[in-house]
Amino acid sequence: MAASTSTNQHGLSFDSSYRHWKVFLSFRGEDTRKTFTSHLYTALKQAGIITFMDDFGLPRGEEISQQLIKAIQGSEISLVIFSANYASSPWCLNELVEILECKKRTGQLVYPVFYNVSPSVVRHKTGRFSDAFESLEKRYVSNLDKVDKWKAALTEAANLSGYDLQNDADGYEIRLIQIIVNKVLLEVTAGGSNIFL
């Protein structure tokens, strides 16, 4: 059976047989849920990409749910949207650790997106990230290994090739969304040549 080819609104052709590819969005809800992340989610869906963005129906707590772990593990690509308050959420940090484990185990593609926070702030845990970790170290004083794991995950993720709202899109959200969607579509049309190597 021949694969059908479609052209998306961005002018890129893609093989619709790759629509089973899944993208997971990791983000701090209070920072970007109603703005950048929801717009990115919509653009990916419109491009024919199955995209997981957690909703208010998921139970919240310190640990991420099995449902969320399955969504991460079932994705070929994770987009980690770093924003000012990302590091203040143990939930987000646990998601990030799981995402990076999937990267190691299965070759999942992981792209950091720096939304009004510079890669160096994330990498070196300065500014609000430093404040967040001061608070986390007090809160998890009996489990500092977990805090160290979160710090290492942030450093690892910040060292990956990704996207910066200010540097890559001159602060224009829609421009950055177009860049990211086109990158995802290029990975999809490549047929997963970078996956599971």
Side-chain angles (χ1 to χ4, degrees), residues 56-90:
F56 295 108
L58 289 176
R60 282 288 175 175
E62 297 273 320
E63 301 298 323
I64 58 177
S65 68
Q66 284 301 311
Q67 179 184 0
L68 208 57
I69 289 171
K70 286 180 183 175
I72 293 168
Q73 292 174 347
S75 298
E76 284 76 25
I77 299 173
S78 281
L79 298 171
V80 182
I81 302 162
F82 290 117
S83 56
N85 296 304
Y86 189 94
S88 66
S89 167

Side-chain angles (χ1 to χ4, degrees), residues 1-5 15-17:
M1 180 176 177
S4 60
T5 301
D15 182 339
S16 60
S17 68

Side-chain angles (χ1 to χ4, degrees), residues 26-179:
S26 176
F27 62 98
R28 180 73 164 130
E30 67 185 47
D31 288 351
T32 67
R33 179 186 299 280
K34 294 179 180 178
T35 55
F36 181 79
T37 301
S38 64
H39 298 154
L40 176 59
Y41 172 81
T42 299
L44 287 164
K45 295 286 276 185
Q46 287 174 344
I49 303 298
I50 299 167
T51 307
F52 184 86
M53 173 179 158
D54 73 349
D55 58 31
F56 295 108
L58 289 176
R60 282 288 175 175
E62 297 273 320
E63 301 298 323
I64 58 177
S65 68
Q66 284 301 311
Q67 179 184 0
L68 208 57
I69 289 171
K70 286 180 183 175
I72 293 168
Q73 292 174 347
S75 298
E76 284 76 25
I77 299 173
S78 281
L79 298 171
V80 182
I81 302 162
F82 290 117
S83 56
N85 296 304
Y86 189 94
S88 66
S89 167
W91 178 281
C92 289
L93 295 168
N94 283 328
E95 274 184 5
L96 179 61
V97 168
E98 181 62 33
I99 287 166
L100 293 173
E101 284 297 316
C102 286
K103 179 180 183 297
K104 290 181 184 112
R105 282 195 314 266
T106 67
Q108 182 180 112
L109 299 174
V110 178
Y111 296 108
V113 178
F114 300 96
Y115 182 82
N116 289 328
V117 62
S118 75
S120 66
V121 166
V122 178
R123 186 179 301 114
H124 301 295
K125 274 70 75 189
T126 59
R128 290 172 90 172
F129 277 58
S130 174
D131 296 341
F133 273 99
E134 281 182 28
S135 176
L136 289 169
E137 284 168 357
K138 290 174 186 171
R139 187 170 164 189
Y140 292 92
V141 69
S142 63
N143 194 1
L144 290 177
D145 287 347
K146 181 184 277 266
V147 177
D148 288 342
K149 186 182 263 191
W150 289 337
K151 287 181 180 178
L154 284 171
T155 301
E156 181 180 345
N159 284 331
L160 297 173
S161 178
Y163 303 95
D164 183 336
L165 177 63
Q166 298 308 318
N167 291 330
D168 292 320
D170 198 25
Y172 289 95
E173 291 187 14
I174 189 62
R175 189 178 296 170
L176 186 61
I177 287 169
Q178 289 170 339
I179 291 168

